[in-house]
Amino acid sequence: VILVATGSFNPPTIMHLRMFELARNRLMSEGYSVLGGYMSPVHDGYAKPGLALAEHRIQMCQISTADSPFIMVDSWEARQPTRQRTVDVLARVDHCINGGMITEGTVRIMLLCGVDLLATLEDASIWIPDHVERICRDYGIVCLSRDGQSIDKVVFQNETLHRHRVSSQQKITLLSLKSLVFFLRRQSFERALSVKYLVHDGVIEYVKSHRLYNYRE
């Protein structure tokens, strides 16, 4: 398996990295070999309020993963002329890995996400239904829960997720992360609150030096 996490990473946090470690532990316990993981920062066209430029987010992700033995940064999505769909990001990684790098066997590409993203998959204003079907059918999802959000409930309410969950337990691997929350907010930088141990020290210095998120001492 190779894990792919898409998102704004604005900025990347320790918990973003921890997601990969938890997912790898779970998959390895089920007999998988996890070869690597990619962080794929979203394109600037995502137009999320307060979104730092892609170049900054790429650099912060690279700083965060510099000492990781298996988490890497894929800047392809962020560097495209226009915003890319998640299924296209997965297909591109699949093509690069299984269409060239791997000469024997097949590596499974899986989307790594939190339950908040999983819950949006039924929203046709955000996701193209056929894309959701392709992600479940051709790739698979590794999902981590958060406090107060039930993965089982989200899967039950989404026909596509439920169908693939029932037809193949291996298509959607559900992980539990009930006691930890992604609680870092950009306002922490804006309000001069300490973010040490929430983000990589190198990212803190990068934010300071580039004055991102209206940072003040």
Side-chain angles (χ1 to χ4, degrees):
V1 170
I2 284 181
L3 298 166
V4 178
T6 61
S8 58
F9 302 115
N10 188 47
T13 71
I14 296 300
M15 278 308 304
H16 285 128
L17 304 179
R18 186 63 183 155
M19 270 187 21
F20 282 92
E21 297 290 342
L22 291 168
R24 181 172 68 161
N25 289 346
R26 176 63 177 272
L27 290 170
M28 289 176 64
S29 73
E30 296 182 359
Y32 287 95
S33 175
V34 181
L35 302 182
Y38 287 107
M39 298 175 73
S40 179
V42 74
H43 188 272
D44 285 338
Y46 186 60
K48 182 178 180 179
L51 186 68
L53 291 176
E55 190 58 41
H56 291 309
R57 291 181 285 110
I58 291 170
Q59 289 295 324
M60 289 188 288
C61 286
Q62 291 175 337
I63 291 170
S64 298
T65 59
D67 57 355
S68 172
F70 88 107
I71 307 172
M72 299 162 282
V73 181
D74 183 0
S75 63
W76 178 84
E77 177 184 2
R79 296 188 188 281
Q80 293 309 294
T82 59
R83 182 181 172 188
Q84 302 298 302
R85 293 284 184 174
T86 298
V87 71
D88 295 323
V89 175
L90 296 174
R92 184 251 178 189
V93 174
D94 188 17
H95 175 74
C96 290
I97 300 299
N98 290 308
M101 295 178 64
I102 300 298
T103 58
E104 183 177 347
T106 301
V107 175
R108 185 171 176 190
I109 312 302
M110 300 187 76
L111 176 65
L112 174 62
C113 68
V115 67
D116 52 339
L117 184 146
L118 194 74
T120 69
L121 294 183
E122 64 179 353
D123 188 342
S125 68
I126 301 176
W127 296 86
I128 298 173
D130 179 60
H131 287 189
V132 177
E133 175 70 28
R134 287 173 57 194
I135 290 172
C136 294
R137 181 191 66 221
D138 299 340
Y139 305 107
I141 302 172
V142 179
C143 181
L144 285 79
S145 68
R146 299 183 186 178
D147 285 334
Q149 294 179 292
S150 169
I151 291 178
D152 290 337
K153 181 179 179 180
V154 171
V155 171
F156 181 78
Q157 293 176 337
N158 186 302
E159 188 276 333
T160 302
L161 292 178
H162 188 260
R163 173 162 39 84
H164 284 279
R165 170 73 166 150
V166 171
S167 64
S168 173
Q169 288 287 340
Q170 299 304 319
K171 281 296 183 184
I172 304 175
T173 301
L174 307 179
L175 308 184
S176 178
L177 183 63
K178 296 185 180 299
S179 61
L180 297 173
V181 181
F182 288 82
F183 54 88
L184 174 71
R185 299 180 183 277
R186 293 188 309 277
Q187 286 86 349
S188 296
F189 284 109
E190 295 171 355
R191 298 170 184 172
L193 301 177
S194 172
V195 293
K196 190 171 180 63
Y197 306 124
L198 297 181
V199 300
H200 191 286
D201 285 348
V203 170
I204 296 175
E205 293 305 315
Y206 187 92
V207 169
K208 289 181 180 180
S209 64
H210 290 82
R211 313 300 283 184
L212 301 179
Y213 313 120
N214 298 315
Y215 175 83
R216 60 187 179 84
E217 294 290 350

